[in-house]
């Protein structure tokens, strides 16, 4: 029957996607859910959410969020009135929240962790809604996503020499990151955050197109993020921490299918852009397999340790052994050294056809200090042996480090001030001068790279790039007003390969104003971002008669960028 929530239910748990009854359903809190996903994480710092949840294996699930102390009736995370279908035979059905986001971008594209949205100049919108149904062990979540982008033209890479274009294509021929997603408007309907699952206690298995996030980062994850649309995958995962005698465990294992964007790296037809360097990518889909496990030792509450690994391979290049289909812990990635015949030293031909990654991460939540610290260290090529790992830990590495602390601002009104920082680097280190290595997410044989539908699966800042961000804000429940400043360095690996001019690296300095507010069944959110790009696309104008004393007296080729993002979510 259909019935309205009673006042008794409003004191019980609210899980974003409409779950507000005391029964434990297997709904997901979708990765990238505006406002609420990070609000749950902040409440963990306040000691109001189970500290054994690592936030390193997402999407989170109702089973994980059920045990909490944040539902005091005044919180926007408490349940609101809504209509559900539920009967004594175990059938449950409900409407999922409606989420509508809008974005206007000028200058050049900016942003990541926006799922089905694309790098766009002009107007863009995303609309999602759906239903959730569960009967005994079976659950179905249908949450499609509709995207429209104006997709205006903007000036992308505009190298002035033929050699610079040759090097540029050496990178972009080996990754599917188009500057433009076709010409004119872009309209797509994706299956979005949808799944069909079999659920039993703390385990779930099924098919899904939901976005995945692995690792403790807030803005960047090295292996799995929501920068690209969700991809079709089979999954076996935990829905809450599994408690054992040595601590609690969370994890996920996936196999899936990645698709290309179908667009070239840059628009053709400009005679100065040397289209002849473009090498068409193979017309095949890619197979992906990955595994992550997070462990919280029972002797150190709040500390989570874990690893994640994945590989991508063209379906036409895939072998027939079990290791060619499954990402097994620490198997199949290490280069082999042949003591009897050093000339045969190296990675097998089958492994060379893989784009493989591994990361190790940790996060420590300290509720007494309202603080968290976290880090992730990753490599796209395992060392020869343990000695090589110790001597050159920086080889092919990428990392994310972060910190956040909440300070009581007005205890009577439950207000806090937040300060946090996060830094991510995917740029190669100096070891590339003596070793053959690939830039993160770029691969010469898996030539679409580590992408899906033309966007990255991992850190949204892009291959060979770096970002440092600092943010401060005022908080009350889910409400937030804050500022963020960041320094973003674009594809330094290309810059150091293509140019010996130390003045040309492309660096954006940006500042953002952030606002989030709830009112009854609505949650509103917005962000204004301004960035000044120094040496946009690695360009500057030299003066022919300059002398050595005037080396830094050049005409900058800088560019300004502005982005306004607003949205609203309605919860039934």
């Amino acid at each position: 029957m259909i019935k309205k929530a009673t006042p008794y239910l409003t004191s019980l748990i609210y899980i974003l996607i409409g779950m507000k009854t005391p029964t434990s359903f297997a709904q997901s809190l979708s990765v990238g859910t505006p406002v609420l996903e990070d609000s749950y994480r902040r409440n963990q710092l306040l000691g109001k959410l189970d500290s054994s949840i690592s936030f390193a294996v997402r999407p989170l699930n109702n089973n994980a969020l059920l045990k909490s102390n944040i539902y005091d009736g005044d919180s926007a995370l408490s349940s609101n009135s809504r209509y559900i279908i539920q009967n004594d035979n175990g059938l449950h059905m409900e409407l999922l929240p409606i989420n509508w986001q809008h974005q206007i971008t000028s200058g050049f594209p900016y942003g990541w962790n926006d799922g089905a949205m694309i790098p766009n100049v002009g107007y863009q919108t995303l609309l999602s809604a759906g239903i959730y149904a569960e009967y005994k062990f079976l659950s179905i979540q249908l949450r499609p996503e509709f995207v429209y982008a104006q997709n205006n033209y903007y000036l992308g890479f505009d190298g002035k020499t033929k050699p610079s274009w040759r090097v540029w294509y050496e990178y972009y021929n080996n990754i599917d990151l188009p500057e433009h997603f076709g010409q004119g408007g872009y309209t797509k309907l994706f299956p979005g955050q949808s799944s069909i699952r079999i659920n039993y206690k703390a385990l779930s298995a099924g098919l899904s197109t939901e976005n995945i996030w692995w690792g403790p980062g807030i803005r960047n994850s090295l292996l799995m993020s929501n920068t690209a649309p969700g991809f079709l995958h089979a999954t076996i995962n935990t829905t809450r921490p599994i408690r054992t005698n040595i601590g609690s465990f969370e994890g996920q294992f996936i196999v899936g299918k990645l698709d290309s964007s179908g667009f070239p790296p840059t628009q053709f037809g400009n005679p100065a852009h040397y289209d002849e360097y473009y090498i068409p990518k193979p017309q095949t889909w890619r197979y992906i397999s990955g595994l992550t496990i997070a462990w919280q030792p029972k002797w150190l509450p709040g500390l989570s340790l874990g690893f994640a690994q994945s590989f991508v391979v063209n379906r036409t290049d895939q072998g027939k052994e079990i290791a060619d289909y499954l990402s097994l812990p620490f198997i199949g990635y290490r280069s082999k050294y042949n003591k009897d015949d050093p000339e045969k030293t190296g990675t097998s031909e089958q492994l060379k056809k893989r784009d493989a990654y591994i990361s190790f991460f940790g996060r420590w939540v300290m509720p007494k200090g309202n603080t968290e610290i976290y880090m992730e260290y990753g490599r796209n090529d395992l060392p020869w042996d343990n000695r090589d790992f110790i001597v050159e830990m920086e080889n092919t590495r990428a990392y994310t480090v972060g910190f956040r602390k909440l300070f009581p601002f007005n205890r009577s009104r439950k207000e806090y001030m937040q300060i946090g920082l996060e830094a991510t680097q995917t740029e190669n280190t100096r070891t590339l001068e003596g070793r053959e290595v690939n830039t993160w997410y770029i691969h010469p044989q898996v030539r679409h790279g580590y992408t899906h539908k033309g966007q990255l699966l991992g850190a949204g800042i892009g291959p060979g790039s770096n970002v440092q961000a600092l943010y401060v804000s005022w908080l009350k429940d889910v409400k937030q007003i804050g500022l963020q400043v960041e320094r973003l360095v674009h594809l330094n690996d290309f810059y150091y390969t293509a140019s010996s001019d130390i003045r040309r690296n492309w660096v954006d300095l940006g500042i953002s104003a952030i606002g989030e507010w709830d009112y009854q069944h609505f949650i509103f959110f917005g962000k204004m971002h301004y960035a000044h790009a120094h040496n946009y696309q690695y360009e500057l104008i030299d003066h022919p008669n300059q002398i050595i004393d005037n080396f830094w007296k050049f005409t900058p080729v800088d560019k300004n960028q502005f982005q306004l993002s607003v949205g609203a979510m309605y919860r039934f």
Side-chain angles (χ1 to χ4, degrees), residues 83-363:
Y83 290 88
I84 63 174
I85 298 175
Q86 187 174 345
N87 61 34
D88 295 336
N89 294 326
L91 174 65
H92 172 88
M93 182 179 295
E94 61 186 85
L95 296 175
L96 304 181
I98 299 173
N99 180 27
W100 197 5
Q101 302 180 44
H102 307 267
Q103 188 181 97
I104 298 175
T105 306
S106 69
F108 55 92
Y110 169 81
W112 56 93
N113 300 337
D114 51 11
M117 285 184 163
I118 64 170
N120 171 74
V121 168
Y123 172 73
Q124 183 169 200
T125 186
L126 183 150
L127 176 64
S128 66
I131 60 172
Y132 174 84
E134 181 172 314
Y135 180 70
K136 296 184 178 179
F137 298 118
L138 176 67
S139 68
I140 299 176
Q141 181 170 295
L142 299 176
R143 190 178 177 84
E145 297 172 332
F146 171 79
V147 175
Y148 167 76
Q150 196 172 359
N151 197 28
N152 289 340
Y153 176 81
Y154 68 94
L155 181 64
F157 182 71
D158 192 35
K160 299 301 187 289
T161 67
K162 189 172 182 178
S164 67
W165 275 100
R166 178 182 56 78
V167 177
W168 189 85
Y169 270 112
E170 285 178 2
Y171 282 85
Y172 284 91
N173 274 331
N174 296 312
I175 190 169
D176 184 20
L177 287 180
E179 291 181 333
H180 299 88
F181 283 65
Q183 299 183 18
Y186 174 93
T187 304
K188 291 287 184 180
L189 179 64
F190 294 98
Q193 311 307 307
S194 301
S195 65
I196 179 169
R197 295 172 174 271
I198 299 295
N199 309 290
Y200 179 72
K201 294 185 177 179
L203 294 176
S204 178
L207 293 175
S208 173
T209 58
E210 295 172 286
N211 280 108
I212 300 169
W213 187 288
W214 291 350
I218 295 175
R219 299 191 70 218
N220 282 288
S221 169
L222 298 182
L223 268 65
M224 291 289 174
S225 75
N226 61 319
T227 293
F231 59 89
L232 177 64
H233 60 276
T235 176
I236 301 174
N237 58 272
T238 57
T239 57
R240 58 176 169 81
I242 298 176
R243 305 186 188 281
T244 71
N245 291 333
I246 61 172
S248 59
F249 290 86
E250 300 166 279
Q252 184 173 28
F253 177 81
I254 65 160
V255 296
K257 176 179 180 287
L258 302 177
D259 295 317
S260 67
S261 69
F263 302 113
T266 188
Q267 292 186 2
F268 294 151
N270 188 328
H273 286 186
Y274 302 97
D275 296 347
E276 63 268 26
Y277 284 131
Y278 173 63
I279 302 174
K281 295 179 173 64
Q283 298 299 311
T284 180
W285 59 273
R286 284 154 296 139
Y287 178 89
I288 183 172
S289 179
L291 169 71
T292 187
I293 296 175
W295 168 52
Q296 182 170 123
K298 72 173 184 178
W299 310 279
L300 294 169
L303 176 65
S304 298
L305 303 172
F307 77 91
Q309 65 180 49
S310 63
F311 74 83
V312 175
V313 62
N314 291 329
R315 182 65 184 92
T316 53
D317 293 331
Q318 195 169 7
K320 298 181 180 180
E321 303 295 330
I322 187 170
D324 295 318
Y325 286 85
L326 304 181
S327 185
L328 304 174
F330 311 109
I331 293 177
Y333 298 98
R334 187 185 296 270
S335 298
K336 302 297 190 298
Y337 181 73
N338 190 323
K339 292 184 292 184
D340 298 326
D341 188 352
E343 292 185 359
K344 294 183 180 179
T345 296
T347 308
S348 71
E349 287 302 315
Q350 195 63 48
L351 295 182
K352 285 181 181 179
K353 296 177 181 179
R354 290 183 174 187
D355 190 12
Y357 300 87
I358 190 167
S359 77
F360 302 90
F361 55 80
R363 176 173 177 253

Side-chain angles (χ1 to χ4, degrees), residues 9-14 20 71 75-82:
L9 290 177
T10 63
S11 64
L12 300 176
I13 187 169
Y14 170 71
K20 301 163 189 154
Y71 308 100
S75 171
L77 298 178
S78 299
S79 70
N80 295 311
S81 61
R82 82 280 177 250

